[in-house]
Amino acid sequence: MSNPGEFSRSMITALPADLNSEQAISLRRTIQRFPEEAIYVYSFKENRMVYADGWEEVLGYDDSEINMLSIVDITTPEYKPFSFELNDKALMFIMSRTEELEKYSFTIELKKLHKNGVAVPLIVRVGVFRSENGRVTEIIGRNQVSHRLRLGKVMQYAAYGPEKAEFEEELNKNLFHYYAISQKEKEALAMLAQGRSFKEIAHELNVTQSAIEKRIIPLYKRFEVKSLTHLVTFAYENHILP
């Protein structure tokens, strides 16, 4: 599938959750929701949302009407292509795994449109909620409003799980053509901005110097900069570094 978001869309429906179901009632008792956070649980077995909470507070949608397709579609235009492709590549990777599935998740910083048309900055985390016989059956999404989030033109994301390095490497390989940066790349860049050498960073992170170079050198081409000073300046100007 060549169009960003096509893989994810092929796996979801527009069916909202039945909030009066036993499953939804049970999830409401067991899943903690924080202020200004909207949560969903989507079931691939039932091909529908099975739980939703907090959506009216965060984006103006009633919990009984929000569905997976609408959540995808209300991403603001500047973040849609990257968000769509990240969802595709991350889900493809997770779906290819069969062990410790509940430990896999990924995050992305973006904006979604409130029902009133206002863009809301969010930190979105999507992870495996349940699995059966080595297959993902449910995913959970947590969408947290972040008033301090200063989003520049660079998309920021992170991957987590037992094979985190491979997971993030797969995302980096597929998403390099976007103005995007992974948590692993950002970590190394922050240390360089503090004046540390590649060797010092490698020692602290317990990896090879070559591994650190592979995190940083591609950023020159990706962000069209020609020096480390320029790269660090670019990172500050685009809110990659605080």
Side-chain angles (χ1 to χ4, degrees), residues 79 109-111 121-123 146-154 156 186 235-242:
Y79 292 97
E109 298 176 2
L110 45 64
K111 292 180 182 179
L122 298 170
I123 299 175
S146 179
H147 298 291
R148 293 194 208 174
L149 197 60
R150 300 180 64 195
L151 296 170
K153 60 184 178 180
V154 179
Q156 300 190 44
K186 182 178 175 180
Y236 282 118
E237 289 177 345
N238 287 277
H239 314 304
I240 296 172
L241 300 178

Side-chain angles (χ1 to χ4, degrees), residues 68-135:
M68 281 302 297
L69 285 179
S70 62
I71 290 174
V72 169
D73 287 338
I74 59 178
T75 304
T76 56
E78 70 270 31
Y79 292 97
K80 265 188 177 179
F82 177 73
S83 176
F84 284 4
E85 191 155 350
L86 178 68
N87 286 336
D88 279 357
K89 303 307 180 185
L91 284 175
M92 286 179 184
F93 182 89
I94 293 171
M95 293 293 186
S96 71
R97 280 7 192 204
T98 59
E99 297 179 354
E100 299 183 287
L101 292 172
E102 285 81 358
K103 294 182 179 180
Y104 283 100
S105 65
F106 62 94
T107 62
I108 181 173
E109 298 176 2
L110 45 64
K111 292 180 182 179
K112 289 189 180 289
L113 289 172
H114 192 280
K115 201 171 185 178
N116 64 14
V118 174
V120 179
L122 298 170
I123 299 175
V124 178
R125 183 162 189 153
V126 179
V128 178
F129 190 61
R130 286 196 179 96
S131 65
E132 294 179 11
N133 301 318
R135 295 179 64 85

Side-chain angles (χ1 to χ4, degrees), residues 11 21-31 39-46 48-51 91 94-95 97-105 126-141:
M11 301 181 65
S21 70
E22 290 185 11
Q23 183 177 11
I25 293 172
S26 175
L27 290 172
R28 185 175 294 277
R29 288 198 300 262
T30 57
I31 296 178
I39 299 172
Y40 69 79
V41 176
Y42 186 87
S43 170
F44 294 114
K45 289 180 67 176
E46 298 186 32
R48 66 180 300 159
M49 195 92 81
V50 292
Y51 181 64
L91 284 175
I94 293 171
M95 293 293 186
R97 280 7 192 204
T98 59
E99 297 179 354
E100 299 183 287
L101 292 172
E102 285 81 358
K103 294 182 179 180
Y104 283 100
S105 65
V126 179
V128 178
F129 190 61
R130 286 196 179 96
S131 65
E132 294 179 11
N133 301 318
R135 295 179 64 85
V136 177
T137 56
E138 292 178 359
I139 57 173
I140 183 170

